[in-house]
Amino acid sequence: MNTPHRWGDQYSELGHGPIPIEPYISPNYYQREKEKIFHKEWLCVGRNEEIPNAGDYKAKRIEAADTSVIVIRGKDGNVGAFHNMCAHRGNTVVTETGHETLGNSRAAILTCRFHGWVYGADGSLISVPQEDRFYECFDKSENGLTAIHVGEWEGFIFVNFSESPAQGLEDFLGEYGQHFAGYPFDKMPYQFTYYTELDCNWKIAHDAFAEAYHVDTIHAGSFPNVFSNGLERVKLMGPHRTSAVHLSMNGKPTPIAGLANELATGSLVAQRGESMLPPTINPDRAQDFSFELSVLFPNTLIHVSEGIWFTHQFWPLAYDRTLWEGRYYVAEPETNAQRWALEHAMTLQRNAWLEDTATMEDTHRAMKSGAKQHQNLQDDEILIRHGAVVVDQYVNA
Ligand code: FES
Ligand SMILES: [Fe+2]
């Protein structure tokens, strides 16, 4: 029975009261989030498909952990993670061209462009030009790249900047890891990405994507009457959370959208053929299931559906600035018709994401005014409530 307070009743430990705004607008709270969360917990920094071959690497700036990380695949196939900093005079070893930089070294080495120090994919310092002019106290074996803990789950690459992480990656993921295990993420590697920097706190961006209450209003243009505005099968799993979004049965796509849904290999609306979902997701195989909406703590949302999956990541740049990255994955189109349908899906998704991001800066600006001290959440905003409670637990631990 869908009672109006079903999630609040099920997870009554989260309380029902208003949620304070201070954590969204406080530079001091953000400092504690950096220390207690982004410097300490597992963070998803990429996918295996981004660095498939030996010598492929990715550098990613993580401002919230005050560093840039390099993940590189060695000749043994293993992925190593290192701070992007040379042991000579501190230059970045991978020259960055933006928030993230992808590259390949056939020899699986990294060379600092300042004075040519060369590192192996295992981080070891291999070669130093004019090595004999350094002094006896200089030991190459002690001057490799600084390693970072790295782990992999279902093709996602994670790093942890803590010297000794409180938990291994598997324990950190816990039930969330099991819930999504077996979904064929790697079978749908064709990707498009949208990203932008927003003048808002990272949690405002998280919250805007963690409910479906806004669908009828904000997405009246892109997805009119397409999705239900509530959540199904909410499950809170340690710091992580998931739920399902279903289709609204009154949805009437435009003729073009209807055609694109028919032709697309993956769509949030069209459901065809045998399910590719693991038994934990849409377990009763409801025909009106659209997608699983989940939050992998702290800053990654993973959404999966039939033939398509997508992620949002929110990287804090400052207490009032956030890098948002939206990535959408489908199978490579095989026909022109499928390619057209994919272009249609991309455009629709871009419009929807523009609608989603449109409120964030306004929300942050209004929050800073101090006119209100709290937000009021309804029952279908339970993922936001859980997020606020979890972040607060970490910050005050
Ligand atoms: S700073 Fe890297 S070689 Fe000099
Ligand atoms: Fe949305």
Side-chain angles (χ1 to χ4, degrees):
M1 251 269 289
N2 291 358
T3 62
H5 302 150
R6 57 183 163 156
W7 309 127
D9 290 346
Q10 188 175 336
Y11 294 108
S12 56
E13 68 276 15
L14 298 181
H16 301 147
I19 295 289
I21 282 173
E22 178 71 7
Y24 294 79
I25 54 170
S26 157
N28 182 274
Y29 194 89
Y30 173 57
Q31 274 310 318
R32 280 147 63 205
E33 288 175 339
K34 284 175 68 177
E35 267 166 52
K36 300 286 186 73
I37 298 172
F38 290 93
H39 276 267
K40 292 259 171 66
E41 278 309 336
W42 290 95
L43 305 171
C44 176
V45 294
R47 287 278 310 160
N48 263 337
E49 294 84 13
E50 290 178 293
I51 51 168
N53 303 310
D56 290 347
Y57 59 84
K58 175 179 184 177
K60 188 163 182 67
R61 272 187 216 157
I62 316 276
E63 276 85 352
D66 302 300
T67 193
S68 156
V69 60
I70 304 168
V71 288
I72 178 167
R73 192 173 301 280
K75 288 184 172 162
D76 56 4
N78 292 332
V79 173
F82 307 95
H83 285 277
N84 187 9
M85 181 178 182
C86 181
H88 178 217
R89 281 191 11 233
N91 192 34
T92 51
V93 176
V94 171
T95 304
E96 294 169 319
T97 54
H99 289 291
E100 53 183 40
T101 308
L102 289 154
N104 169 265
S105 148
R106 274 169 194 247
I109 54 167
L110 296 168
T111 306
C112 179
R113 69 170 176 164
F114 204 169
H115 311 91
W117 284 30
V118 178
Y119 300 91
D122 61 355
S124 58
L125 177 58
I126 298 173
S127 144
V128 172
Q130 301 180 31
E131 190 180 343
D132 58 346
R133 298 186 68 88
F134 286 84
Y135 303 100
E136 294 86 67
C137 56
F138 173 69
D139 182 348
K140 278 220 305 273
S141 72
E142 287 173 0
N143 283 285
L145 297 173
T146 303
I148 297 164
H149 293 274
V150 63
E152 194 193 311
W153 166 77
E154 296 290 324
F156 293 91
I157 300 167
F158 291 79
V159 296
N160 187 313
F161 295 104
S162 169
E163 268 179 39
S164 46
Q167 290 175 300
L169 176 60
E170 199 179 331
D171 289 340
F172 170 73
L173 292 169
E175 205 186 335
Y176 183 96
Q178 292 153 23
H179 189 80
F180 287 91
Y183 181 79
F185 292 103
D186 58 346
K187 301 291 183 303
M188 291 163 278
Y190 187 82
Q191 183 204 138
F192 63 82
T193 302
Y194 294 118
Y195 65 93
T196 191
E197 287 184 23
L198 295 156
D199 285 333
C200 71
N201 183 266
W202 68 283
K203 298 187 295 302
I204 290 177
H206 160 277
D207 294 359
F209 285 103
E211 44 90 355
Y213 183 31
H214 69 272
V215 164
D216 292 341
T217 37
I218 281 292
H219 297 311
S222 59
F223 289 111
N225 301 318
V226 174
F227 302 113
S228 63
N229 59 17
L231 301 177
E232 298 299 326
R233 287 191 305 285
V234 169
K235 223 170 156 189
L236 309 181
M237 300 172 283
H240 319 293
R241 56 208 84 113
T242 195
S243 64
V245 174
H246 283 232
L247 298 169
S248 146
M249 282 332 215
N250 322 319
K252 287 191 188 54
T254 62
I256 295 286
L259 184 60
N261 292 339
E262 286 302 309
L263 294 169
T265 50
S267 149
L268 290 177
V269 179
Q271 308 286 323
R272 289 184 313 280
E274 204 148 297
S275 179
M276 60 174 64
L277 301 170
T280 41
I281 297 175
N282 190 22
D284 41 11
R285 299 299 184 244
Q287 280 300 303
D288 63 349
F289 169 81
S290 184
F291 62 96
E292 187 87 354
L293 185 172
S294 82
V295 183
L296 169 53
F297 179 79
N299 67 331
T300 301
L301 272 61
I302 300 180
H303 302 55
V304 308
S305 187
E306 304 283 5
I308 162 205
W309 61 282
F310 57 105
T311 62
H312 294 285
Q313 287 198 288
F314 313 107
W315 296 103
L317 304 174
Y319 82 99
D320 57 356
R321 195 153 173 84
T322 297
L323 169 68
W324 160 74
E325 298 171 334
R327 299 174 203 268
Y328 190 99
Y329 301 79
V330 290
E332 180 97 39
E334 288 173 356
T335 64
N336 284 340
Q338 283 175 0
R339 186 165 292 278
W340 171 80
L342 180 60
E343 289 296 326
H344 183 275
M346 276 172 63
T347 309
L348 206 56
Q349 204 63 48
R350 179 206 60 191
N351 292 353
W353 288 350
L354 278 171
E355 290 162 357
D356 282 315
T357 49
T359 60
M360 296 172 185
E361 295 185 338
D362 292 346
T363 302
H364 192 93
R365 212 175 307 115
M367 280 184 170
K368 279 207 280 199
S369 74
K372 305 277 184 206
Q373 275 74 51
H374 294 92
Q375 337 179 41
N376 297 291
L377 302 180
Q378 61 118 310
D379 201 54
D380 276 317
E381 295 176 296
I382 183 92
L383 303 185
I384 297 173
R385 183 179 296 281
H386 181 239
V389 168
V390 168
V391 168
D392 214 55
Q393 281 168 350
Y394 272 83
V395 161
N396 292 310

